[in-house]
Amino acid sequence: MKAISRTISWSAALALILSSTHAAGAATPDWFPRAEMMNIGVYYYPEAWPQNQWARDMANMHKMGMEFVHMGEFAWAFMEPEEGKFDFDWLEKNVALAQQNGMKVILCTPSATPPVWLSRKHPEILMVDATGKRMNHGGRQQGDWSSPVYREYVAKIVTELAKRFGHDKRVWGWQLDNELSHYEKEFSYSPAATARFREWLKEKYGDIGHLNADWGTAFWSMVYQNFEQIEIPNQLDHAGLPNPHAQLDFNRWFASEGADFLRLQTRILRQYGADQWITTNYMAMYGDIDPMRSAKDLDAFTWTHYPVHGDVFAENGPLGFRLGSGAIQSFMHDFMRPINGISGLMELQPGQVNWGVVNPWPQPGAIHMWIMRAFAAGARMVCTYRYRQPLFGNEQYHKGLVETDGVTPSPGGREYMEAMKDVLKLRAKYKPEAKEPAAYAKRRTAFLINFDNRWDIENHKQTTRWDTVGHWMKYYRALKSMMAPVDVVTEERDLSGYGFVVAPAYQLVDKALVAKWTTYAENGGHLVLTSRTGEKDRRGYFPETLWAEQIYGLIGAKLPIYDLLPGTLEGHVTADGARYAWGSWADVLEPDAGTTTLATYADQFYAGKAAAVTHKLGKGSVTYIGVDTVNGELETALMRKVYTAAGAAPANLAADFIVDWRDGFWVATNFTSTAKAIPARPGAEILSGARSVIPGGVTVWVE
Ligand code: GAL
């Protein structure tokens, strides 16, 4: 394999020096040279394989085209076999082997797997589940991030790692922990977690009276007399539902606690001079951890993805279960990338996994396609989980890049090799001066989210038919079908550079946010708001106004009622002569004079009333789509109207046939079950693939 090119044009180098600042504010090395675009690497667990195979395995990884290797993730018992006795020599040997084979190294902190001596000496480092049961040694993520004792031991091992490898030029970056979470157990209810939650509440409210006010404890006589009386809201402690305001604060605290645990580790690495970049591998968007809370601490934002694990993805046809969801995959890239511009996939499945209810084989070609989707979405790295298929242990059935013999590339391994060849080919054609095509740039959209909305809605759904992420995906798929580049962003972002902002199901708002949205539209932006927006204040209270009155001026309509349908009943909406079914949520709107109705309810007692409206506001527009349809087709049709009216000439691709532009290259990835034609000009130069993209296929071209 050709050596990694470190050459970069002077102008690009200067731009990088000017733009890249260390998370702590100092200038940093150029960890991800723009001209390399994306690196591909792999997980390796040397501690689980015979020492006499290490050199062979490293040499083979390199032969397969891997550019970096990821190690040390769950290896605490090997790094500190006895309390205070550290052994990094085995790791050091593997770092040396990686370097000899031209591969960079990502090292990990092992905080996801405390060793048995620690759990036996200090059982209080183990988390407690909702039933009150303390977890035990013998799995992972059983450590309690709130335990001061656990934090002390984590600090010690991270310090030793930092001292040993923090200045090691062979080490490229660090991953903290692993998929920070407690998996199915979700939260720790330990005394340590309770104590830290109380501290956080004291800090937030100061006075118990303020907490009582914000938590609405006058309801059902919940009033607290002091902070020591507060427990973590736990469904199992209550005959009915726990207090939703307490739950929302607990979600906020838990996410902050996770970020704090990461910060503890980041600070130690930096304190001992770690010159490398630092990330953690977030678990897609479903976790309880909010990456934005670590925006200032980490240098790169990476995540883990297993697209095929038994979900059916019927929206993508009969092959959906073998292809995964293009929308979810793409959305996560679009969420991670804008945080600080450096993002990637830390884990990607190389074949069948072991942990789904049913673990099918991915569609041949799909693994290659996922890697190229990451490329198209701006990822700077893709790392596959894992090199070797384990011969023992919980993940025995999990494929690797090589077969169970440890040497033969698996079908997935061959797809990685293929993808690496593609990346090298594109790297050779990289042009730093390539400009984003104007028509594509014009459709750039900010997709505004706030985890508070998702938490509060999911804690208090009002209809079991509602699915917050599913609702987001209807809009996201509509955007990608229009070939809009999307940045998923949060409220502190300056929106003025975006022609369009979509803020779906934005339940919790305040005056400042409504004012920000209003100014955005008045200055020429096009804002799309959707069902359930503006109903509550930031505490999760309904303001003492008419229903959702906070946004009436903004949307140019009143919203006197919303409706929900039980069972599998469907209501209907018409727009431009087409009829659409809904079942989960219907905001019934009354447009003001000057506001246009875009869709109308066709049945129920409010037949003839508006389901979606739009109006001009200053130089821009505000559209409110109040109904959540069954398959999102109405949402797509209305979004197309908004983009067309704004002169953004939307493309008309099938949902989940996703096309994006990156660094001069157009990349089409087909997550649907039928072949799709690329939207290329007749003279376009096809660099890989074909004009017709098969399911699970990729085409790259330049125009
Ligand atoms: C991930 C996890 C990895 C590994 C993998 C198996 O969620 O981070 O450590 O367990 O699943 O697919």
Side-chain angles (χ1 to χ4, degrees):
M1 197 196 86
K2 154 178 152 207
I4 295 162
S5 157
R6 289 254 160 209
T7 40
I8 181 166
S9 81
W10 276 109
S11 58
L14 186 64
L16 270 161
I17 291 163
L18 293 177
S19 67
S20 73
T21 48
H22 196 262
T28 52
D30 180 10
W31 294 307
F32 297 92
R34 190 89 236 174
E36 283 183 17
M37 295 190 288
M38 186 171 93
N39 292 131
I40 295 187
V42 65
Y43 273 60
Y44 188 53
Y45 295 95
E47 68 277 16
W49 301 104
Q51 184 164 351
N52 63 9
Q53 295 181 352
W54 293 346
R56 178 202 71 186
D57 286 352
M58 287 281 181
N60 285 345
M61 282 175 219
H62 170 66
K63 270 191 221 141
M64 290 183 83
M66 297 300 114
E67 299 183 306
F68 66 90
V69 55
H70 172 290
M71 294 185 286
E73 190 183 48
F74 297 121
W76 197 338
F78 295 85
M79 293 172 174
E80 191 180 4
E82 282 176 55
E83 177 165 2
K85 294 217 168 101
F86 298 96
D87 178 6
F88 297 115
D89 290 349
W90 62 275
L91 189 54
E92 170 96 43
K93 278 186 193 140
N94 280 281
V95 170
L97 283 169
Q99 189 209 21
Q100 285 157 27
N101 285 290
M103 295 185 291
K104 301 183 268 200
V105 172
I106 296 178
L107 287 185
C108 301
T109 65
S111 49
T113 48
V116 70
W117 54 259
L118 175 54
S119 306
R120 293 296 176 257
K121 183 173 175 190
H122 291 291
E124 72 273 25
I125 66 123
L126 298 167
M127 62 161 292
V128 172
D129 76 2
T131 68
K133 186 168 169 27
R134 208 174 263 292
M135 298 295 101
N136 206 338
H137 182 75
R140 61 173 169 177
Q141 288 300 15
Q142 68 272 29
D144 189 338
W145 321 325
S146 299
S147 153
V149 179
Y150 191 52
R151 285 178 168 235
E152 210 178 287
Y153 279 90
V154 168
K156 273 190 223 160
I157 184 73
V158 176
T159 304
E160 294 303 319
L161 268 168
K163 282 192 201 155
R164 180 74 177 249
F165 296 105
H167 290 296
D168 193 326
K169 296 279 174 257
R170 298 167 300 183
V171 177
W172 184 37
W174 291 90
Q175 174 196 304
L176 309 177
D177 205 84
N178 168 65
E179 287 190 330
L180 193 67
S181 71
H182 298 302
Y183 291 117
E184 287 77 18
K185 296 287 177 178
E186 215 174 355
F187 307 120
S188 177
Y189 297 79
S190 67
T194 308
R196 283 181 63 96
F197 179 44
R198 288 177 187 154
E199 282 311 309
W200 184 87
L201 291 171
K202 270 185 216 162
E203 178 93 356
K204 176 168 179 180
Y205 293 106
D207 184 290
I208 195 71
H210 297 144
L211 176 139
N212 279 314
D214 276 17
W215 281 16
T217 56
F219 192 77
W220 287 348
S221 224
M222 287 181 193
V223 189
Y224 292 99
Q225 294 156 306
N226 59 60
F227 287 95
E228 304 316 309
Q229 294 168 330
I230 292 173
E231 301 285 351
I232 291 173
N234 182 347
Q235 177 66 74
L236 300 184
D237 288 343
H238 301 284
L241 288 173
N243 180 336
H245 311 284
Q247 277 182 299
L248 179 58
D249 262 351
F250 177 68
N251 284 120
R252 289 166 170 156
W253 169 76
F254 186 80
S256 298
E257 184 73 343
D260 191 67
F261 184 60
L262 295 176
R263 192 169 304 123
L264 165 89
Q265 303 193 30
T266 309
R267 283 199 179 140
I268 295 169
L269 288 175
R270 302 240 191 271
Q271 187 185 337
Y272 288 92
D275 298 327
Q276 303 99 345
W277 54 271
I278 305 176
T279 190
T280 188
N281 56 343
Y282 289 101
M283 193 168 29
M285 63 192 153
Y286 300 102
D288 299 296
I289 295 299
D290 173 5
M292 286 306 297
R293 282 172 160 77
S294 298
K296 294 203 173 76
D297 300 318
L298 303 178
D299 306 297
F301 288 83
T302 66
W303 59 291
T304 65
H305 195 38
Y306 294 84
V308 170
H309 55 263
D311 274 4
V312 174
F313 302 117
E315 69 278 17
N316 292 342
L319 293 178
F321 76 100
R322 294 197 192 279
L323 295 166
S325 160
I328 289 174
Q329 195 167 124
S330 200
F331 181 92
M332 271 306 292
H333 284 300
D334 286 348
F335 176 28
M336 290 282 153
R337 189 195 53 249
I339 299 178
N340 76 347
I342 304 287
S343 63
L345 261 180
M346 190 56 96
E347 293 179 27
L348 179 66
Q349 115 191 62
Q352 273 163 316
V353 298
N354 62 289
W355 48 264
V357 229
V358 174
N359 298 294
W361 192 277
Q363 178 73 6
I367 295 170
H368 176 221
M369 173 182 74
W370 300 329
I371 298 172
M372 295 312 288
R373 172 95 286 275
F375 174 86
R380 310 299 282 274
M381 56 170 289
V382 170
C383 188
T384 181
Y385 190 87
R386 50 186 287 154
Y387 179 62
R388 290 186 66 170
Q389 171 153 4
L391 304 181
F392 53 85
N394 296 34
E395 296 185 349
Q396 249 185 332
Y397 287 93
H398 202 289
K399 293 295 283 186
L401 288 196
V402 289
E403 295 288 356
T404 37
D405 65 359
V407 290
T408 308
S410 62
R414 291 199 296 273
E415 291 194 30
Y416 267 85
M417 292 162 80
E418 215 34 56
M420 196 58 231
K421 278 191 208 134
D422 280 358
V423 171
L424 290 180
K425 190 162 142 192
L426 300 184
R427 216 179 261 169
K429 289 181 177 287
Y430 173 76
K431 293 200 185 80
E433 67 282 1
K435 270 249 164 340
E436 190 176 48
Y440 176 76
K442 190 155 191 205
R443 299 190 286 259
R444 183 164 291 281
T445 301
F447 195 101
L448 196 65
I449 61 165
N450 181 339
F451 277 31
D452 280 5
N453 294 317
R454 175 162 68 85
W455 290 327
D456 194 55
I457 292 177
E458 294 294 320
N459 287 339
H460 212 176
K461 274 181 139 172
Q462 187 66 342
T463 163
T464 50
R465 296 178 80 176
W466 175 268
D467 167 7
T468 306
V469 173
H471 179 78
W472 292 358
M473 286 307 114
K474 286 172 191 161
Y475 286 91
Y476 185 79
R477 292 177 97 220
L479 287 167
K480 296 317 286 180
S481 77
M482 297 192 290
M483 247 167 91
V486 178
D487 289 342
V488 178
V489 298
T490 49
E491 280 169 38
E492 60 287 346
R493 177 78 45 150
D494 175 11
L495 300 175
S496 61
Y498 294 97
F500 302 88
V501 172
V502 178
Y506 221 97
Q507 187 171 248
L508 273 51
V509 305
D510 56 21
K511 282 203 176 92
L513 180 60
V514 175
K516 181 174 174 159
W517 282 342
T518 306
T519 310
Y520 167 75
E522 283 171 351
N523 290 339
H526 300 282
L527 174 69
V528 177
L529 300 173
T530 80
S531 328
R532 308 189 81 147
T533 292
E535 293 169 356
K536 291 188 174 181
D537 68 17
R538 302 286 190 176
R539 301 169 300 174
Y541 269 43
F542 297 136
E544 200 171 355
T545 61
L546 290 175
W547 183 254
E549 194 176 346
Q550 305 183 90
I551 57 166
Y552 286 3
L554 178 66
I555 67 173
K558 296 184 185 55
L559 202 167
I561 63 159
Y562 66 89
D563 194 26
L564 318 169
L565 297 176
T568 54
L569 290 182
E570 286 180 350
H572 295 91
V573 176
T574 55
D576 294 319
R579 192 174 159 89
Y580 306 88
W582 72 274
S584 63
W585 197 277
D587 285 326
V588 180
L589 298 151
E590 270 174 16
D592 299 341
T595 295
T596 308
T597 296
L598 295 175
T600 308
Y601 290 104
D603 50 26
Q604 313 301 326
F605 64 89
Y606 39 81
K609 298 263 190 200
V613 294
T614 190
H615 78 135
K616 287 203 168 17
L617 188 61
K619 294 187 214 140
S621 71
V622 180
T623 302
Y624 190 93
I625 304 175
V627 66
D628 179 56
T629 66
V630 172
N631 57 19
E633 282 171 14
L634 170 73
E635 289 86 327
T636 300
L638 297 184
M639 294 275 282
R640 292 186 59 75
K641 265 192 130 159
V642 172
Y643 280 63
T644 306
N652 195 4
L653 304 177
D656 280 79
F657 173 55
I658 302 183
V659 180
D660 273 307
W661 182 94
R662 176 197 178 159
D663 287 326
F665 307 102
W666 287 102
V667 184
T669 45
N670 189 359
F671 288 77
T672 80
S673 296
T674 52
K676 297 280 179 285
I678 56 168
R681 294 204 185 119
E685 183 193 351
I686 310 283
L687 300 178
S688 74
R691 278 191 174 264
S692 173
V693 191
I694 59 170
V698 181
T699 299
V700 183
W701 73 97
V702 286
E703 301 194 331

